[in-house]
Amino acid sequence: MIHADSTEGLINGKMARVGDIAANGSIVKTGYARAALEIGSDAVLRMGRATEVKIGGPCFYLSLGVALSSGSSDICLDSLDIDSPQTNYIVQVMPSKRTVITVLEGT
């Protein structure tokens, strides 16, 4: 389920509204908005502005922007899968593909 702070978010190129469901394989883009994707009852991915994520099986594939993972949500990148349950961390992928990972809490 998606929660957004404006109407700038897109799911598969269509305007997203609070409560919309993004299915496996969907591409979620935030534009000028920020959004939170909930998975089940224990995982949340918070997306910053200008962020693009593809929902794929066990991972959120982050291709651009900033995302904060908490609970049991995993972030995958082109060359790395981050699977660290119960760890809060931020991943930033810049347009140059330079990536910064910051662990906030957990191991």
Side-chain angles (χ1 to χ4, degrees):
M1 184 177 302
I2 190 167
H3 296 280
D5 67 355
S6 79
T7 58
E8 296 289 323
L10 302 172
I11 299 175
N12 295 326
K14 296 180 182 174
M15 195 67 66
R17 300 187 193 288
V18 173
D20 282 354
I21 305 278
N24 196 24
S26 295
I27 296 174
V28 179
K29 296 181 182 182
T30 56
Y32 289 106
R34 292 173 299 183
L37 301 175
E38 294 179 9
I39 293 98
S41 62
D42 68 339
V44 176
L45 183 79
R46 290 175 178 82
M47 300 170 60
R49 291 178 172 93
T51 297
E52 182 174 324
V53 169
K54 181 178 181 182
I55 299 170
C59 282
F60 292 107
Y61 291 90
L62 179 64
S63 58
L64 183 64
V66 178
L68 181 144
S69 174
S70 58
S72 60
S73 59
D74 300 338
I75 295 178
C76 295
L77 306 167
D78 288 339
S79 60
L80 178 68
D81 294 349
I82 304 168
D83 179 10
S84 189
Q86 305 311 316
T87 299
N88 296 330
Y89 57 93
I90 297 171
V91 179
Q92 180 177 11
V93 178
M94 297 169 205
S96 66
K97 296 302 178 191
R98 179 173 181 264
T99 302
V100 177
I101 301 169
T102 306
V103 176
L104 303 173
E105 179 179 50
T107 55

